[in-house]
Structure formats: C-alpha cells, structure tokens
Amino acid sequence: MSEIRITVINPNTTESMTELIAESAQAAAAPGTVINGRTPSMGPASIESHYDEALSVPGVLQVIAQDPAADAFVLACFGDPGLDAARELATVPVLGIAEAAMKAATLLGRSFSVVTTVGRTVGRAWDLTRIYGLERQCAGIHACEIPVLALEQDPEHSYRTILASAAQALESDGSDVIVLGCAGMADLPSRLATKLGVPVIDGVAAATVLAEGLVRLGIRPSDHDELAPPPPKTYTGLLHDFGI
C-alpha cells in the first residue's frame, strides 16, 4: 500500500503541544505512515471549558477544509471538539481521541478509569461516555487538577501527580485500565503503565493506530442522512469564509 497520511489536529493553538502530540502519534504509527501535526490559525490556547471547546471548532474545520490530501484526521483533544461537524466535512475517517481511547480500553479490561486535567472537564467526559455507549464500562473520572498548559511547565511534577491520581483511581474504582484524559499526557502511558501494572491508554496513539487500520481496510465513512456533507449556504461576519 502507498504511504498513509494522517493529519493530527491539536484543537488548541499551543504549538509546543502540537509538537508533543505529533511526536507521540508518529511513535505509535507503523512504518510508511506520515503524521502531519497541525495547529489551527484561530482558537483558544487550551481547552478547559465549553466556551473554549466551542471556539476551537472553526479552527479545526478550517484545517480539515484546507487538507484534502489527508487519508484520515485525528482530533487531539479529549473533549472531541467538533467531531460530528468534522465528520460531515471530511470525506475520510475522523477520529476523536476520547472515543478511540475509551473504546480501546474496553478491549483490555472489564472497566476503565479516566484521569483528566481539571475538575470542570469531568462532566464533559461523562457526557462522552454516554454518547459513545460506554457509561457502564467507565468506573470513574478523576481530575488531577493540573491545567492543560501546566502539564509541560514541570513535566516531572505532572507525571508524579498523574501517577498518584491514577493509582488512587484504580483503588477506588476497582478498574482494570487507565485512560489518560488529555492529549498533553500523550508522552506518559509507558511510564505510568510500568509503575501501575495495568494498561494505560493515550488517545493520540489509539486514534492514530485505529485511523491507520481504517485506511488500510479501504473503508470510507458514511456520507448519507445526518453524515452527508453540510448543505451549501452563506455564512456572514467572521464566518464568511466558512460557506460551503
């Protein structure tokens, strides 16, 4: 098969996080897969609220519209922002890291716990378990109270804090697998798994490998009814250029 091109989009605008995400995706990818890490030209520096998430979506969609050569896209934020809209717009598979990580976790144990960043994002993560039909398999969602951008400011402190949160989650939830609830944790699963003795799933790696598999299978996403391309119409103001 010819070269596979996967565009991994960091929905926030922090370039250093895009670099970490792209490196983690490339490390998980098979030989012959090229990872293109992209940072939107507009949006929040990090995504830690519904407001942030909503304002990240135009930038994500702009990246997809401007990248017709991609064989698949990965949205590298655990809120899976704009996933439905991205799937309408793209003609190739689009995977969100929360969906990929949680579904992969169900293949590795009877239940999983999520360790995420700040407490205000826990509700959104629970929403996603229900949307993806995984509420019964999710034993708990735990915030380690590290803001997204602080993850890279003191990496060792972040690692120790996440490790402690994950260990506590396993004990309190009785779960079998840890899911990391932020793309900024993408470099940690191996170290954490060694210490915890259980599988630790990073959604960036999981989504990358799943995207590769779909491309190799030659399967295109559904494009009818709700998943058909959005109907042409005019957009005004700041969204003028988003008209189809």
Side-chain angles (χ1 to χ4, degrees):
M1 183 177 197
S2 61
E3 177 180 277
I4 293 175
R5 295 159 295 183
I6 298 178
T7 295
V8 179
I9 306 171
N10 171 19
N12 74 43
T13 57
T14 300
E15 289 281 358
S16 58
M17 189 165 292
T18 303
E19 293 172 7
L20 181 150
I21 289 166
E23 289 172 4
S24 299
Q26 192 67 69
T33 296
V34 175
I35 300 297
N36 179 21
R38 291 290 304 276
T39 305
S41 64
M42 65 184 86
S46 63
I47 300 173
E48 296 169 310
S49 67
H50 296 294
Y51 187 82
D52 292 340
E53 184 174 307
L55 293 180
S56 74
V57 175
V60 168
L61 297 179
Q62 185 180 60
V63 170
I64 291 173
Q66 295 175 348
D67 192 0
D71 294 308
F73 294 94
V74 169
L75 303 187
C77 171
F78 202 76
D80 289 352
L83 181 58
D84 291 336
R87 286 175 171 167
E88 285 184 336
L89 183 63
T91 59
V92 296
V94 182
L95 282 76
I97 65 168
E99 183 176 19
M102 291 192 284
K103 288 184 174 177
T106 66
L107 304 176
L108 299 170
R110 291 175 59 85
S111 63
F112 62 88
S113 297
V114 177
V115 175
T116 188
T117 50
V118 293
R120 67 178 297 155
T121 67
V122 168
R124 172 60 175 165
W126 275 119
D127 288 344
L128 292 179
T129 68
R130 289 184 279 271
I131 291 169
Y132 300 142
L134 301 173
E135 187 176 14
R136 291 180 61 186
Q137 287 92 344
C138 183
I141 299 176
H142 305 262
C144 63
E145 298 302 345
I146 302 176
V148 171
L149 297 183
L151 287 168
E152 59 187 10
Q153 292 174 359
D154 189 343
E156 279 306 305
H157 171 73
S158 296
Y159 164 71
R160 291 192 299 271
T161 302
I162 294 165
L163 175 62
S165 294
Q168 192 276 328
L170 291 169
E171 181 177 355
S172 63
D173 297 345
S175 52
D176 305 308
V177 182
I178 291 293
V179 168
L180 298 178
C182 180
M185 301 176 181
D187 58 336
L188 298 179
S190 179
R191 291 180 68 190
L192 292 169
T194 298
K195 287 288 188 180
L196 296 168
V198 300
V200 177
I201 306 299
D202 154 52
V204 174
T208 298
V209 172
L210 287 169
E212 283 181 319
L214 292 173
V215 174
R216 287 198 179 92
L217 288 171
I219 297 175
R220 292 261 175 174
S222 176
D223 63 356
H224 68 277
D225 295 334
E226 185 182 338
L227 294 177
K233 64 183 64 176
T234 299
Y235 289 75
T236 60
L238 294 175
L239 298 179
H240 176 268
D241 292 338
F242 284 81
I244 302 299

